[in-house]
Amino acid sequence: PGWRVSLVAPAGTLALDPEVGIERRETLDDYIARAGRSDLRQAAQAVRLRQPLQYAHADAVSGERRYTVVEPIGDSGWSLLVAQSYDLVTDRLAQALWLLVAIGALLALVCMLVVRRLAQHISQPVEGLSSAAARLACGDYDVPVPHVHRPDEVGQMARTLEHARGSIRQQLREIEDMTAARQKLESELSIAREIQQAMLPPGLVIDREHAHLEAYARLEPAKAVGGDFYCFIQTDPDGLWFAIGDVSDKGVPAALFMARTVTVLEVAASTHPSPERVLAEASKRLVQGNDACMFATVLCGRVDVRSGACVLASAGHDAPLLLHADGRHEMLSVPPGPPLGFEVGDAFPLWSGQLPAGATLLAWTDGITEAFDGDNRAFGPERIPEALLPGATARAQCEALIARVHAFTDPAPQSDDITALAIRRRLDGAPLSPEASPTQETAHADATVHPA
């Protein structure tokens, strides 16, 4: 009781676990998702990286405080997870402490009887040890135990108490260090999240005479930082470049590769005239120095505000959906090219079409289609049309879709980054986006650009 031992195979399967039989072939990540044990995600990350780990946490289901150790088994690829209840740790420490106190009291009593016959000077060390034992029992571990250098029984008992005091102090320091390191890591991840969110542009509303274009996107990372991204880029007054993508990993490595990808796309969009050339240039740049073999899927496009002409190119990303003003919707047949980062590629077929007045172009990452509920069912692309709101603003479309995903997966935890992007074109006579109109500013005679 109080202990939990798990053995994880190289592929992540739980080969030995008190709750999961080997016949289920369930992985540690599957168990975490099924049992709601979000407190074990850090341990699962250490297993994937084949790294040792020791950390304290609270059971996400029972609330019990536990101390978990992850240890790779040599170079075999297997990992051992051992968790122990904090109550068991403290109970055993208390038992040892009280045993030492009892021994000290017994020895002190015997010494007091012998002192009467031997010498008065023996009683003083015994009294000092008794006082030290009392201090240990009260939690005072700062004062050293006296008489540890005596060669007799008094010195032996003093060294025993001093060893116990040193062991307890060392464990307390280790607990404090782990707590401080965890707090520092959480603080750094919080700052990284703020920096990543600041890198993402706000929504835009671009007005050109009688034509208006709304652009909005929303990203919800599964961890403190994530690998999904989007960007809006204006290289000329009448056109808007946009991109949405997903990096192959999650967490800090994905966030760093995401920042590099966004920078490369922005630079490429300012120097190349079409999406397929932008992706080809980004593919060439992202291969350089990519020793981690990370990659990103990207949907890149450009839309003309006045005419509605739209061109798209895909680097392995899901095709977007076009929602017409009358509620009709269609999946655009954008041929996918290779993802960015694996190897240099230039085969990115170009899709050309029109964004009609009142229509909305909606794109997303696989965190939406691969969002799983408690029964391990995926949201899938077939449920996306159910969340569409014909005539709604770009922002309302994104928020409605993400809200539908959360309603579908609740109470299962979010397993991947979620991002939705919407581009809506309207002409005069259509209602103006309510979140855009209060902050409209004049950029030049016939054009305005402002955050949505």
Side-chain angles (χ1 to χ4, degrees):
W3 287 80
R4 177 189 178 96
V5 180
S6 301
L7 186 63
V8 184
T13 306
L14 285 170
L16 174 66
D17 188 89
E19 296 182 16
V20 180
I22 184 62
E23 69 278 357
R24 296 185 61 176
R25 300 184 64 82
E26 188 174 28
T27 66
L28 178 58
D29 291 331
D30 294 337
Y31 169 75
I32 292 173
R34 174 179 62 79
R37 290 296 304 279
S38 58
D39 57 298
L40 293 180
R41 289 177 181 169
Q42 192 171 351
Q45 178 72 7
V47 170
R48 285 193 293 270
L49 297 177
R50 304 287 191 267
Q51 293 179 349
L53 173 68
Q54 301 179 16
Y55 75 108
H57 59 97
D59 192 312
V61 177
S62 65
E64 181 185 21
R65 294 186 64 202
R66 304 188 71 83
Y67 182 78
T68 295
V69 177
V70 180
E71 186 67 29
I73 304 177
D75 298 329
S76 65
W78 293 70
S79 297
L80 184 66
L81 281 75
V82 180
Q84 184 178 11
S85 170
Y86 247 83
D87 293 336
L88 184 58
V89 175
T90 55
D91 288 343
R92 291 185 175 180
L93 289 175
Q95 291 175 6
L97 182 61
W98 284 110
L99 179 60
L100 291 174
V101 172
I103 294 175
L106 179 60
L107 291 177
L109 178 60
V110 172
C111 289
M112 289 178 63
L113 296 175
V114 174
V115 161
R116 295 180 180 179
R117 297 181 180 181
L118 298 179
Q120 181 64 31
H121 70 276
I122 299 180
S123 62
Q124 295 178 351
V126 173
E127 291 177 358
L129 291 180
S130 179
S131 176
R135 288 195 300 270
L136 292 178
C138 296
D140 182 6
Y141 309 112
D142 295 328
V143 180
V145 178
H147 311 299
V148 294
H149 299 295
R150 290 177 62 103
D152 54 10
E153 291 79 1
V154 174
Q156 182 179 358
M157 185 169 60
R159 288 188 291 273
T160 301
L161 289 176
E162 179 64 19
H163 178 72
R165 184 185 75 89
S167 298
I168 295 174
R169 291 189 64 190
Q170 180 179 357
Q171 292 184 14
L172 291 176
R173 284 194 298 268
E174 291 175 355
I175 293 173
E176 291 176 356
D177 291 342
M178 288 188 296
T179 302
R182 182 181 181 89
Q183 292 176 347
K184 181 180 179 181
L185 178 60
E186 291 176 351
S187 176
E188 291 175 350
L189 288 176
S190 176
I191 296 173
R193 180 187 180 95
E194 294 176 0
I195 294 175
Q196 185 183 39
Q197 292 294 328
M199 292 176 58
L200 301 174
L204 295 176
V205 173
I206 305 175
D207 298 331
R208 296 293 183 271
E209 296 178 349
H210 303 293
H212 314 278
L213 192 72
E214 300 176 20
Y216 184 81
R218 182 171 178 179
L219 186 154
E220 293 186 0
K223 297 183 177 181
V225 291
D228 280 10
F229 63 89
Y230 65 87
C231 58
F232 302 124
I233 310 165
Q234 278 194 275
T235 58
D236 59 85
D238 294 332
L240 175 67
W241 286 90
F242 60 90
I244 182 173
D246 183 7
V247 177
S248 57
D249 201 354
K250 291 183 281 295
V252 175
L256 295 175
F257 194 79
M258 162 264 183
R260 183 184 178 195
T261 304
V262 170
T263 302
V264 169
L265 287 172
E266 290 178 349
V267 173
S270 63
T271 57
H272 293 276
S274 60
E276 80 276 15
R277 298 315 310 158
V278 169
L279 293 181
E281 177 67 16
S283 176
K284 180 175 66 175
R285 298 299 181 188
L286 291 176
V287 168
Q288 299 173 359
N290 186 17
D291 297 334
C293 295
M294 301 186 70
F295 66 91
T297 64
V298 180
L299 177 70
C300 179
R302 182 185 183 279
V303 61
D304 188 274
V305 180
R306 298 180 189 272
S307 65
C310 182
V311 286
L312 299 170
S314 172
H317 202 80
D318 292 343
L321 179 146
L322 181 62
L323 175 64
H324 294 273
D326 58 3
R328 293 181 298 111
H329 63 272
E330 56 180 308
M331 298 295 295
L332 301 183
S333 56
V334 181
L340 307 182
F342 271 140
E343 57 185 13
V344 177
D346 56 4
F348 299 98
L350 185 65
W351 179 93
S352 300
Q354 191 76 15
L355 186 61
T360 300
L361 181 70
L362 186 66
W364 55 85
T365 61
D366 59 6
I368 288 181
T369 55
E370 297 178 7
F372 293 93
D373 63 4
D375 297 327
N376 206 31
R377 295 177 303 173
F379 187 79
E382 66 277 1
R383 290 185 173 87
I384 292 179
E386 301 174 3
L388 301 181
L389 303 173
T393 64
R395 178 171 185 170
Q397 293 287 7
C398 294
E399 292 178 345
L401 176 58
I402 294 178
R404 180 64 64 91
V405 172
H406 288 317
F408 173 81
T409 59
D410 186 67
Q414 182 178 337
S415 59
D416 198 359
D417 303 331
I418 292 177
T419 305
L421 179 145
I423 306 291
R424 178 177 179 241
R425 179 172 176 263
R426 56 184 178 80
L427 300 178
D428 283 345
L432 182 64
S433 169
E435 62 271 15
S437 55
T439 60
Q440 189 169 7
E441 299 177 358
T442 301
H444 43 75
D446 63 346
T448 58
V449 180
H450 57 87

